[in-house]
Amino acid sequence: MTITLDSLEPALSVRQVLTLERVLAGEPEVVAGASHLDRPVRWVHVAEAADVGVMLTGGEMVLTTGVLLAGDEDKQAEYVRSLHRAEAAAVVLGLGRAFPAAPDVMRRAAERCGLPMVVLHRPFPFAELTEEVQSRLVRRKFAAVSLSEAVRTELTALITAGAPLQRLLDEVARHSACPVVVTNLAHRVLGTAGERPAVDDVLRDWERIARQAGGTEGDGWIRAELGGRGERWGRIVLCGYRGDTATGRLLADRAAEALVLHRMLGGGAACSWEEQSAQSLLTDLVSGVVPARQLLPRARAAGLPVNRRTFVPLVVRDGDPARLERLLRLLGLPGLVAELADGATAVLLSLPRDQDAGALAVHFATRLRTETGPDHTVVAAAEPRAAWDDVPTGLREAQHVADAVADSSAVLDLPPVVRLKDVHLRGLIRLLRDDPHVQSFAERELDGLLRETDEDLLSVLRTYLATGRNKSRTAQLHHVSRPALYRRLESIQVRLGVDLDDFEQAASVHIALLAHDAQQQ
């Protein structure tokens, strides 16, 4: 059976110990330190020695009858102070012959130290209390160790099977029953897991929360550092963990071990997790499955400036994501980069509103094409967006433009940044490519060529129409003589039954060919 936090008993506090049935039989009364009853009890220790403090390591509930303290107020006060110095959880005094009532000196000293002091009004066998509490603590410790080993085994199995980072984080979140966040040292979020509403609540003000929780562990925030060979490169945080801190640290440590191993075996670096985070975010934006407003906390936590910004959605064809990341850093342009499907890479720029977004996009594209060559890279863009909610539409528009010129970048004189107005008819045909009427039209117009699947003639026709029926340019691009090109054009006209010198017939064939090519992608 898999052990989760729900199957673990809550950590015992002083308050909870006092509610145990065996303790209630002794009629306990809190006479000092009532505001500190939630201290965790690590162990129960029976001690009558006046210098008991030197025997403690912290977190103990000390049981005593005070027989060695009776009649000496200095010893009574020092006894309490020594417990405080040793960070004991509480002191329990059994009333009887030594002390028929709570001694004022001990009570006042305990109140000053903030040490819970409890007296038992009825005779009580201390052995029963120690047995009850120790057995519960041992069960708790065993359950925590079992949880630790179960988590280690399951995460190792996932790593061995080649699971992605997200799968590991989902498993950690399942065991911890709270949001899990992985960050780099600059608090930029690299991955999250847990129930989406709870994760969004954490990310909504992540920068402030992360820095506030960076120094101490409190309110269920448990951290473990990620790194190796003396170098730290990130951390994993359990946010709002409801179990005891010791178990939370154990779970966070197991998760950190697994993440470091995942990185080592993957041969990657922390930046690859940043790429995965950006890819997940931009993919969700493009798909539109998740409303943009719900993705805003993730974007902010991923390091993208979102307040009073202008967003420029770009899609780069045949662009290396790593090269694009480097170029953004070189130009000082804030943005996210993520590889999409079919050789497309999305780039979302976030620029101050007082900057010329169009000019900066052109500058970025020009530098990129200078490095890669104009024949190898197409940069498509949507119009800048002033509202975050409009970003998904912009990304889809940029992707549509990039797709529309995918087949024609070698023969069209494209600007550095291609926009919707630059793709003209080709863009419209791509939008309509799945319409049955358009499909029937394309097959009917091109039937004479498609029936024999003569790719050479189709290629010639495609180039001839794309160049505006320029015979010299077409012959040059296909490395054939003008007479050879004339023969091929004649063959095309015969098979299609059209006159390509007639503008309307040539336009009809051109539209059909664009539709055919769009359907093949």
Side-chain angles (χ1 to χ4, degrees):
M1 179 183 70
T2 299
I3 298 175
T4 64
L5 291 177
D6 293 336
S7 65
L8 297 178
E9 298 179 13
L12 285 178
S13 65
V14 175
R15 189 188 308 278
Q16 290 169 321
V17 170
L18 297 181
T19 62
L20 297 177
E21 185 176 349
R22 291 184 180 181
V23 180
L24 291 175
E27 298 182 7
E29 178 189 358
V30 179
V31 297
S35 61
H36 301 279
L37 294 181
D38 291 321
R39 287 182 175 178
V41 176
R42 189 182 60 83
W43 206 245
V44 176
H45 191 67
V46 181
E48 300 293 351
D51 58 349
V52 63
V54 299
M55 307 175 190
L56 308 179
T57 58
E60 295 90 349
M61 174 178 277
V62 178
L63 312 179
T64 183
T65 61
V67 293
L68 299 181
L69 305 175
D72 191 331
E73 292 187 349
D74 289 339
K75 283 187 177 180
Q76 293 169 23
E78 177 57 26
Y79 183 84
V80 172
R81 288 193 294 267
S82 69
L83 293 180
H84 171 64
R85 288 193 298 269
E87 298 182 347
V91 58
V92 178
L93 175 65
L95 301 180
R97 286 186 302 172
F99 292 103
D104 287 340
V105 172
M106 293 184 67
R107 182 180 56 78
R108 289 195 299 269
E111 192 65 43
R112 285 195 299 270
C113 294
L115 176 71
M117 180 176 175
V118 181
V119 297
L120 300 174
H121 289 278
R122 293 177 60 86
F124 184 87
F126 284 168
E128 292 185 11
L129 175 57
T130 57
E131 179 184 3
E132 173 75 11
V133 176
Q134 313 300 45
S135 63
R136 287 175 178 263
L137 292 175
V138 168
R139 288 199 302 270
R140 176 72 190 189
K141 186 176 291 291
F142 176 77
V145 172
S146 298
L147 170 63
S148 172
E149 290 306 309
V151 171
R152 173 181 281 164
T153 299
E154 292 174 19
L155 294 181
T156 301
L158 289 173
I159 293 171
T160 304
L165 171 66
Q166 187 61 52
R167 182 68 184 86
L168 269 66
L169 296 182
D170 288 341
E171 191 68 16
V172 175
R174 184 175 70 84
H175 281 289
S176 64
C178 70
V180 175
V181 177
V182 174
T183 76
N184 61 15
L185 296 181
H187 304 293
R188 178 174 175 179
V189 174
L190 308 181
T192 63
E195 295 184 1
R196 196 72 255 166
V199 172
D200 288 344
D201 286 341
V202 169
L203 296 184
R204 193 161 286 114
D205 195 15
W206 172 253
E207 186 69 18
R208 181 188 63 81
I209 293 174
R211 295 189 183 281
Q212 181 176 323
T216 59
E217 290 184 348
D219 298 327
W221 285 69
I222 310 293
R223 305 181 317 280
E225 302 298 327
L226 303 177
R229 299 176 181 176
E231 179 184 1
R232 292 187 305 118
W233 45 266
R235 58 177 58 90
I236 182 170
V237 187
L238 308 185
C239 309
Y241 177 80
R242 294 191 299 271
D244 68 283
T245 301
T247 303
R249 288 198 188 103
L250 201 60
L251 179 57
D253 287 343
R254 296 293 84 78
E257 290 174 3
L259 296 185
V260 172
L261 180 61
H262 180 273
R263 176 191 174 190
M264 291 173 59
L265 293 181
C271 63
S272 66
W273 289 3
E274 293 178 0
E275 292 168 4
Q276 291 179 37
S277 174
Q279 183 174 25
S280 173
L281 173 61
L282 293 185
T283 299
D284 286 345
L285 280 170
V286 171
S287 69
V289 174
V290 182
R293 182 58 50 181
Q294 294 182 21
L295 297 173
L296 188 58
R298 287 171 58 188
R300 183 183 290 111
L304 186 73
V306 295
N307 295 328
R308 300 185 61 80
R309 309 292 285 192
T310 297
F311 302 101
V312 183
L314 305 173
V315 171
V316 181
R317 276 284 175 188
D318 300 323
D320 176 31
R323 182 194 295 273
L324 297 176
E325 283 273 15
R326 288 193 299 271
L327 184 56
L328 286 182
R329 289 194 295 268
L330 178 65
L331 299 178
L333 298 176
L336 296 179
V337 176
E339 188 172 7
L340 304 178
D342 302 326
T345 301
V347 179
L348 179 60
L349 301 181
S350 175
L351 306 173
R353 290 187 176 176
D354 59 354
Q355 293 186 348
D356 188 336
L360 286 175
V362 170
H363 181 51
F364 169 78
T366 302
R367 285 290 299 269
L368 179 62
R369 296 181 71 180
T370 299
E371 293 183 9
T372 61
D375 293 337
H376 296 87
T377 303
V378 172
V379 179
E383 291 302 317
R385 261 56 178 179
W388 173 258
D389 288 343
D390 296 333
V391 168
T393 303
L395 284 169
R396 288 192 289 271
E397 179 182 314
Q399 189 174 34
H400 163 65
V401 173
D403 290 342
V405 298
D407 290 335
S408 58
S409 59
V411 296
L412 293 181
D413 185 16
L414 297 174
V417 176
V418 187
R419 302 186 184 277
L420 193 60
K421 63 183 179 60
D422 299 314
V423 296
H424 305 295
L425 180 62
R426 186 180 298 274
L428 175 64
I429 294 300
R430 282 199 64 87
L431 289 176
L432 301 176
R433 64 179 177 176
D434 294 326
D435 187 297
H437 298 291
V438 174
Q439 294 173 356
S440 297
F441 170 76
E443 292 176 3
R444 183 171 60 252
E445 288 291 304
L446 302 176
D447 181 63
L449 290 179
L450 298 179
R451 194 184 316 125
E452 300 181 20
T453 62
D454 194 328
E455 289 298 330
D456 180 60
L457 292 182
L458 271 176
S459 178
V460 170
L461 177 61
R462 185 179 294 112
T463 304
Y464 179 64
L465 295 174
T467 57
R469 295 183 293 172
N470 186 320
K471 294 183 176 66
S472 298
R473 180 62 175 154
T474 302
Q476 180 183 8
L477 289 172
H478 283 271
H479 307 290
V480 297
S481 63
R482 291 282 294 269
L485 175 65
Y486 295 156
R487 289 193 294 271
R488 295 182 188 186
L489 291 176
E490 182 63 29
S491 178
I492 291 172
Q493 294 182 102
V494 169
R495 295 190 185 192
L496 297 182
V498 298
D499 178 6
L500 293 179
D501 289 330
D502 181 87
F503 175 78
E504 184 175 341
Q505 294 184 53
S508 181
V509 172
H510 193 185
I511 293 172
L513 186 57
L514 291 175
H516 169 74
D517 289 343
Q519 292 159 17
Q520 305 307 306
Q521 299 173 7

